[in-house]
Amino acid sequence: MPAPTSSLVAMLLTVLLACSAATARIMPIMKPPPPYDMYILTQEWQPDQHNLKISSFVPANLDGSLPQASCKDKELTMDDITKAGGESALEKWIGGMRPGPQNYLTKQIWVDGMKCSALTPSEWIAGSVEAVRALPAPGLVGGSIDAQQLRNVYGGGAAVLECTGGALSHIRTCHDFKFAPIVCPAVLLATDSCTGMIRI
């Protein structure tokens, strides 16, 4: 059998390269899924201000466990806040914007609760705000409300209420990877502690 000519070899290489390029164009680059199932947003009810403030935003698994990560090199900076929209944009939901060792955002929320989560500072701020924006406004103005009525505002199964002494203290909601509210898993729904009429 005669050996292939150089022109034939060149033609075959050209065809193979063209096929490889076409395959690369039609094969999307898939990002690996996050090592958790959803997000849990917790908002604290502040009756003196008639307002809900973000107190935590964490990745979570369907069994209720929280994935942890290294705390090293995860300091919250002013640059993270600026990237998320700046102080004025976040004040409505969080409060205490400017970084410092004792302020509300960096000490009470980030350092004490979020620093060792699986999120970076910028992911945490941006994600928590997007999750709040995806929720309906509950319209709480004080007085009292039926607990089930409040749950229904968020859609059945999407909100878990926490009460202390018959008064609302926190609202937890579950969110998908695009921050839209979803039905919370049974293990989280079982922690709801509000019944009947609750004070707000």
Side-chain angles (χ1 to χ4, degrees):
M1 182 174 179
T5 65
S6 58
S7 60
L8 179 59
V9 171
M11 183 176 69
L12 288 172
L13 286 173
T14 301
V15 171
L16 289 172
L17 288 172
C19 290
S20 297
T23 302
R25 285 194 297 270
I26 62 175
M27 290 292 290
I29 299 175
M30 303 296 290
K31 291 179 63 177
Y36 43 85
D37 301 314
M38 61 179 180
Y39 298 109
I40 298 175
L41 171 72
T42 302
Q43 297 183 85
E44 179 183 0
W45 172 245
Q46 299 181 329
D48 55 332
Q49 300 180 29
H50 293 164
N51 198 7
L52 287 163
K53 293 283 188 180
I54 296 169
S55 61
S56 75
F57 178 73
V58 294
N61 299 312
L62 292 177
D63 63 2
S65 62
L66 306 180
Q68 298 294 300
S70 171
C71 307
K72 185 179 179 181
D73 300 327
K74 291 180 68 176
E75 299 301 325
L76 182 66
T77 67
M78 196 65 205
D79 187 51
D80 296 317
I81 294 171
T82 301
K83 288 178 180 178
E87 294 183 54
S88 59
L90 301 184
E91 181 68 31
K92 175 180 178 182
W93 294 291
I94 301 176
M97 291 294 101
R98 189 164 300 280
Q102 297 299 325
N103 78 22
Y104 180 73
L105 179 62
T106 57
K107 179 66 172 67
Q108 187 172 335
I109 299 183
W110 179 251
V111 175
D112 289 351
M114 302 295 101
K115 184 177 180 180
C116 298
S117 79
L119 299 178
T120 65
S122 56
E123 288 172 339
W124 175 76
I125 294 178
S128 59
V129 170
E130 286 302 314
V132 171
R133 287 174 172 163
L135 293 172
L140 302 178
V141 293
S144 61
I145 188 173
D146 181 73
Q148 189 56 49
Q149 181 183 345
L150 180 55
R151 293 186 196 97
N152 292 341
V153 170
Y154 293 93
V160 178
L161 310 182
E162 179 181 326
C163 286
T164 301
L168 178 67
S169 60
H170 295 85
I171 298 177
R172 291 184 175 87
T173 49
C174 300
H175 299 258
D176 63 19
F177 294 143
K178 293 184 178 180
F179 310 114
I182 58 174
V183 174
C184 293
V187 66
L188 189 61
L189 293 175
T191 65
D192 192 302
S193 60
C194 296
T195 58
M197 298 298 293
I198 57 176
R199 299 191 310 277
I200 53 175

